[in-house]
Amino acid sequence: MKIILSFFYLFFCSYSCFSQSNYPEPTKTATRLFYIQHSNSHNTYVYDANIKGGIIDSSQPINEYKIVYTKKGVKKPLSLLQKKLAYGMIVQESQPNLFKLHLAASEKIDFYLNYNESEGAKIYVTVNKHKMYLDKMFVQLKVGVLRFKAKTEYILFFGKDYNSGKPITEKIVIE
């Protein structure tokens, strides 16, 4: 029975990973926190820590932008709509080098940004009761009638377990 369950678990994990085959991966930088990709295009939404003078800039802790791979990988700021309704990060609480944030699209998941000089900036989330340092997210969209009103089907969170540092993937199904 354990073998069968292990097989289905491996199959599920492999199947989840195939959902983003051939997606470009943005170059890792010293301030990179995480990035978001979705099933409707290869364009990528990137989140970097905004560090000035050895501390996170409290007026704008995260630099958000998109990489438009459909136009040769040009880097562009988020549009006002993207920032206010979907991909912008909103600060809920702040202390020196520690911020509680959420994405504009949803207040259901809290993101915690912290910084220290030895480890740099990291962002962590708790998904399905697993606390993890976040590397990337993949959003599977379901397109509505006439390609309007795309709805989120599920979100995959990729990162490292907060305590062990081992790779972890968590999935949230949106109902």
Side-chain angles (χ1 to χ4, degrees):
M1 185 67 170
K2 285 184 179 180
I3 294 172
I4 293 171
L5 289 174
S6 297
F7 172 78
F8 281 111
Y9 178 75
L10 288 172
F11 175 78
F12 173 76
C13 290
S14 299
Y15 180 76
S16 297
C17 293
F18 287 136
S19 65
Q20 20 173 6
S21 60
N22 299 321
Y23 275 69
E25 202 167 305
T27 305
K28 182 77 172 148
T29 65
T31 57
R32 173 72 32 81
L33 296 169
F34 71 102
Y35 60 91
I36 299 175
Q37 294 177 318
H38 61 80
S39 60
N40 281 3
S41 77
H42 288 115
N43 295 337
T44 301
Y45 300 87
V46 181
Y47 301 82
D48 293 338
N50 189 12
I51 300 169
K52 293 184 179 177
I55 61 171
I56 295 175
D57 183 350
S58 61
S59 65
Q60 184 184 353
I62 296 180
N63 290 323
E64 311 142 335
Y65 57 94
K66 64 183 172 183
I67 300 174
V68 186
Y69 287 109
T70 55
K71 294 185 180 176
K72 299 182 181 180
V74 67
K75 182 177 164 180
K76 290 187 171 187
L78 298 182
S79 71
L80 187 59
L81 281 176
Q82 289 170 333
K83 195 170 190 98
K84 296 290 182 188
L85 299 177
Y87 298 104
M89 292 296 280
I90 298 170
V91 176
Q92 294 175 283
E93 299 173 21
S94 68
Q95 300 173 19
N97 287 324
L98 179 62
F99 296 82
K100 179 180 178 183
L101 311 108
H102 67 83
L103 281 169
S106 173
E107 295 180 26
K108 291 182 181 180
I109 297 193
D110 294 322
F111 294 75
Y112 295 90
L113 169 61
N114 61 6
Y115 174 78
N116 68 51
E117 287 188 42
S118 62
E119 294 185 24
K122 291 186 175 185
I123 198 154
Y124 62 91
V125 296
T126 301
V127 181
N128 299 330
K129 298 182 183 176
H130 289 113
K131 193 173 183 180
M132 65 190 294
Y133 288 110
L134 186 62
D135 291 327
K136 66 181 175 178
M137 293 169 56
F138 180 79
V139 181
Q140 179 66 44
L141 298 172
K142 184 177 4 175
V143 180
V145 179
L146 300 174
R147 296 194 49 88
F148 292 110
K149 293 193 178 192
K151 292 186 178 187
T152 302
E153 190 173 333
Y154 64 83
I155 303 170
L156 296 172
F157 294 80
F158 299 88
K160 293 177 183 61
D161 182 82
Y162 187 86
N163 296 311
S164 71
K166 292 181 181 177
I168 184 173
T169 302
E170 288 294 330
K171 181 178 183 178
I172 294 178
V173 177
I174 309 299
E175 297 176 30

